[in-house]
């Protein structure tokens, strides 16, 4: 039962930040001004079901397992260990993908999504690290 309480809070946090990021993207970024919206350049459509499963696996299950195994080898403990793992995942995973999307989405949307990715990944993995120490 303890594992469920380690998995649900980071997943809920990541889903909430992702939802706020999508809302902010629609609210504060221009809707296609100067961006080529041809079908081959359009961003792929992700449904909430796919997003929920992906978030569960990559921001809750895998980090929990990884920090459980590698936790003693990381020089940090708790939330710091999770944040360190989150920053590594962000820099080597999220940033390159977002930078490849600059031509199709534009810099304003790309920078917004980089910020949201940093908040999602860093926050969720910090929560995982903190919960694993309790």
């Amino acid at each position: 039962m303890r594992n469920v309480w380690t998995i649900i809070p980071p997943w809920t946090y990541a889903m909430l930040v992702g939802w706020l990021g999508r809302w902010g993207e629609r609210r504060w970024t221009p809707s296609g001004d100067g961006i080529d919206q041809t079908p081959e350049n359009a961003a792929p459509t992700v449904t909430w079901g796919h997003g929920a499963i992906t978030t569960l696996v990559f921001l809750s299950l895998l980090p929990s397992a990884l920090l459980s195994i590698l936790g003693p080898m990381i020089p940090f403990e708790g939330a710091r260990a999770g944040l360190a793992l989150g920053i590594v995942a962000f820099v080597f995973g999220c940033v390159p993908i977002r930078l490849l999307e600059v031509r199709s989405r534009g810099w304003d949307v790309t920078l917004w999504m980089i910020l949201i990715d940093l908040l999602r990944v860093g926050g969720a993995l910090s929560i995982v690290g903190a919960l694993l120490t309790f």
Side-chain angles (χ1 to χ4, degrees):
M1 189 64 173
R2 180 178 181 261
N3 291 336
V4 172
W5 294 113
T6 306
I7 293 170
I8 291 176
W11 177 70
T12 305
Y13 171 81
M15 289 298 295
L16 181 65
V17 171
W19 177 78
L20 289 172
R22 299 254 176 151
W23 176 79
E25 180 183 354
R26 286 191 309 266
R27 174 103 168 108
W28 291 308
T29 59
S31 58
D33 294 340
I35 299 172
D36 185 16
Q37 292 294 330
T38 58
E40 61 270 1
N41 290 336
T45 304
V46 177
T47 63
W48 281 105
H50 292 108
I53 297 296
T54 303
T55 301
L56 179 67
V57 170
F58 289 108
L59 294 180
S60 289
L61 295 175
L62 287 177
S64 296
L66 191 62
L67 279 176
S68 294
I69 295 169
L70 297 178
M73 296 182 348
I74 297 176
F76 307 115
E77 283 186 27
R80 289 182 187 173
L83 184 60
L85 184 64
I87 289 174
V88 168
F90 171 74
V91 169
F92 292 112
C94 298
V95 171
I97 294 300
R98 295 296 182 196
L99 291 178
L100 289 174
E101 295 177 346
V102 168
R103 296 189 90 190
S104 64
R105 291 187 166 214
W107 277 105
D108 51 352
V109 175
T110 299
L111 291 176
W112 174 257
M113 294 308 292
I114 285 175
L115 173 67
I116 296 303
D117 286 343
L118 177 61
L119 291 175
R120 283 179 60 218
V121 173
L125 271 61
S126 294
I127 293 171
V128 167
L131 290 174
L132 286 176
T133 59
F134 291 129

